[in-house]
Amino acid sequence: MAVAGSWRQDDAGNLKDGGGVFQVCTRTVMDTTDPDITFDDAGVSNYWHEYQAFKAALPTREARDATLATTLEAIKRSGRGKRYDCVLGLSGGVDSSYLAYVAKQHGLRPLVMHFDNGWNSELAVSNIEKLVSGLGYDLETFVMDWEEFRDVQRAYFKASVLDLEVPTDHMIMGALYRIAARKGIKYVLSGTNSATEWLLPKAWYYRKLDLVNLKAIHKRFGDRPLRKLPSLGLWQQVYFDRVRRISSAALLELVDYDKSAATRLLATDFGWRDYGGKHHESVFTRFYQGYILPKKFGIDKRKAHLSSLILSGQITREQALAELQQPPYDERLQEQDKQYVAKKLGFSGPEFEAVLTQPNHAHEDYGTDLDQRRLYFKALKTFGGPVRWLRSLRG
Amino acid sequence: MRTVRIIPTLLIDGRGRLVKTVRFGKRTYIGDPINAVRIFNTKEVDELVLLDIDATRQGREPNYSFVEDIVSEAFMPIAYGGGIRSMEQIERLYGCGIEKVVLSSAVSEGTDLVQRAAMRYGSQAVVVCLQVERRLLGGYRLRAGTAPGAGSPSPVETARRVVEAGAGELLVYSVDRDGTSAGYDLPMLRAIADAVDVPVVACGGARQLDDFRAAVVEGGCSAAAAGSLFVYQASSNGVLISYPTQNELCSKVFERLS
């Protein structure tokens, strides 16, 4: 089967084709555009096998319901006497929107946070508006300083690294924990779920919370100081986790989550509108996933999303293959988005073209937080025992 | 069914950032103005008022390239105000593609600029913004630095004078109501609207759609502008661009105008 844009460029700019043979998994739609994929003799990829193991290890329905009950109980207890018992991030996309609905269904009282990075689409803001007013939640918007955010995004483009969503994803999490800490909220609800996003190859993204990498890229390619960054590096994580005792709860993992049923429900009950593409709630994300990833990195993320849906039994492989026959999104719109993204980021047309066609770099080329993490875990190992012992003496 | 213009007012600070004020003072950062304009495009907003609230205070010219950027993204006509003191500036602004100029502090030096702009571009292209505030002991006055001539003529008298000079529209902005969501200052609007025969646009204090109806029916205005209502989520103070749909405007405003 021929798949457009399935060839991957290595760092030297050579086309890499998975050892010369292009192969598609016979159970999912993952293929050799993922450099780490392996196949068994029947042509079934490692992902299918891993998913079977994952599924086998899943708790029974009763056990899951029990976990849900204790989780809800703990969240509610932590919020007794307060206006909110948790905070949740709402982008207007299906996962976070459904999470907001599920929270209401179970009697939680979340403060809804929206992270505005300057790329909101009208669809996103109107979905947020409908859900927040429909569910009777309070909304707090973390409006990221646009000039500063733009500078970070420009730096990532100039660095020519793979994961241009790191700045947004990092800061959303950072903003969530900051707001939770400020308001004395102990739980952050997370929309992470295996129903729609179990499968994401390691080579197709970078760790979102590596603050060292983010800062290094910005230091090298940015033009202005970072002052308002809601950072969430290792030390901040330790602080929020150990000192402020803020936990995360992945509520969608504890309920049945069927994407198309959720989409229908949100549309009927709230007038919510579908994006027609995962994470197309922002022009930037649409352009990144639909243009940059396929054209610059040979990655079509839809393959992972669709494979997740196949694995969790929500669509058939045939449906997924049919969808992959379509271009990531309308080609005229791609051109429009490209001009808009360039203009908004302050690149001239030729500058942007040059940035997009320069050789790719690994995130690791600019430095990582691995040393920090090693240090931290070593310290935990060394002092963890004595600290626990001291605590036990105190009773 | 009678329809009226419902206009979002966007305030821009000295660095080209979108902000929202309370009583012309405390500022909240709202985000990137270009993105806001794009969202208003999709929401099919008919016109926008863009006010640079720092230009006059900083004694500088309008930021032309910024205005041009906004205009090039906007599908709707834009009225621009802030830092305008001369015909040359007005000419450049029209060159940037704006539809109307909004004069305010310039009026403090007399109505000459209003007159010349109206002669040259037509009254429909010249808006005067009256920044009206309450006097401590009752009554109204124009905010310092925006009243024409010596003494302090009443807002009504100033309204008459600028209209006589050629202003085709008045944007009557209540300083005390700005950003408070306390509703429009209807008696004040009524007094001005009754005194002139050009469109008066209410501004400052809108909290809900019904306030637009009130501005027209009780305030005698022919259009209504709002800031907070279109940049904050209704029930809490989260920043979120919004604009009513045509259906909402029809059922909650237009059909109740008679």
Side-chain angles (χ1 to χ4, degrees), chain B residues 2 4 184-202 211-224:
Chain B
R2 181 180 167 204
V4 293
Y184 291 117
D185 189 337
L186 298 169
M188 182 270 284
L189 290 167
R190 180 98 234 173
I192 293 176
D194 282 350
V196 296
D197 54 7
V198 297
V200 169
V201 184
D211 289 331
F212 298 141
R213 182 202 57 80
V216 175
V217 175
E218 291 157 50
C221 297
S222 52

Side-chain angles (χ1 to χ4, degrees), chain A residues 122 139 141 145-146 343-344, chain B residues 17 29 32 43 236 239:
Chain A
E122 190 273 332
L139 173 75
T141 311
D145 184 280
W146 165 244
K343 180 179 165 185
K344 197 163 146 82
Chain B
R17 297 149 47 97
Y29 177 56
D32 175 30
K43 290 191 177 290
S236 47
V239 171

Side-chain angles (χ1 to χ4, degrees), chain A residues 116 118-120 122 125-126 128-129 132-133 137-141 143-146 224 283 340 343-344, chain B residues 15 17 29-32 34-35 38-39 42-43 69 72-73 233-242:
Chain A
D116 181 344
W119 289 99
N120 269 339
E122 190 273 332
V125 295
S126 101
I128 293 168
E129 164 69 32
V132 167
S133 53
Y137 289 154
D138 285 348
L139 173 75
E140 177 142 341
T141 311
V143 185
M144 182 59 200
D145 184 280
W146 165 244
R224 46 190 300 154
V283 181
Y340 178 63
K343 180 179 165 185
K344 197 163 146 82
Chain B
R15 291 164 53 201
R17 297 149 47 97
Y29 177 56
I30 302 295
D32 175 30
I34 300 276
N35 204 57
R38 298 246 309 182
I39 294 173
T42 316
K43 290 191 177 290
D69 261 1
S72 70
E73 279 302 330
Q233 202 272 332
S235 59
S236 47
N237 55 3
V239 171
L240 199 70
I241 304 287
S242 70

Side-chain angles (χ1 to χ4, degrees), chain A residues 126-256:
Chain A
S126 101
N127 280 346
I128 293 168
E129 164 69 32
K130 283 169 183 155
L131 276 162
V132 167
S133 53
L135 294 168
Y137 289 154
D138 285 348
L139 173 75
E140 177 142 341
T141 311
F142 191 103
V143 185
M144 182 59 200
D145 184 280
W146 165 244
E147 299 297 317
E148 195 167 315
F149 188 75
R150 167 162 98 165
D151 195 46
V152 178
Q153 281 196 310
R154 279 174 61 90
Y156 270 69
F157 273 91
K158 291 190 210 160
S160 209
V161 289
L162 170 91
D163 199 338
L164 300 178
E165 293 287 16
V166 165
T168 300
D169 295 339
H170 186 106
M171 294 183 209
I172 287 176
M173 295 299 292
L176 274 172
Y177 277 88
R178 259 171 195 71
I179 285 179
R182 178 152 51 80
K183 304 257 179 190
I185 297 170
K186 296 296 177 195
Y187 282 89
V188 174
L189 297 190
S190 144
T192 310
N193 69 91
S194 46
T196 69
E197 51 189 26
W198 178 80
L199 201 164
L200 192 56
K202 281 231 154 29
W204 288 9
Y205 69 99
Y206 185 69
R207 288 184 294 119
K208 308 294 186 182
L209 299 183
D210 185 346
L211 182 62
V212 175
N213 188 242
L214 189 154
K215 281 193 164 165
I217 288 174
H218 179 262
K219 188 169 182 191
R220 178 131 168 222
F221 297 102
D223 297 319
R224 46 190 300 154
L226 279 180
R227 291 213 179 88
K228 293 171 181 152
L229 170 81
S231 55
L232 191 60
L234 179 64
W235 307 127
Q236 289 89 351
Q237 289 170 55
V238 170
Y239 168 74
F240 286 127
D241 177 32
R242 300 283 165 132
V243 181
R244 301 303 299 263
R245 300 270 165 199
I246 299 169
S247 324
S248 152
L251 216 54
L252 289 186
E253 289 291 44
L254 302 175
V255 298
D256 290 326

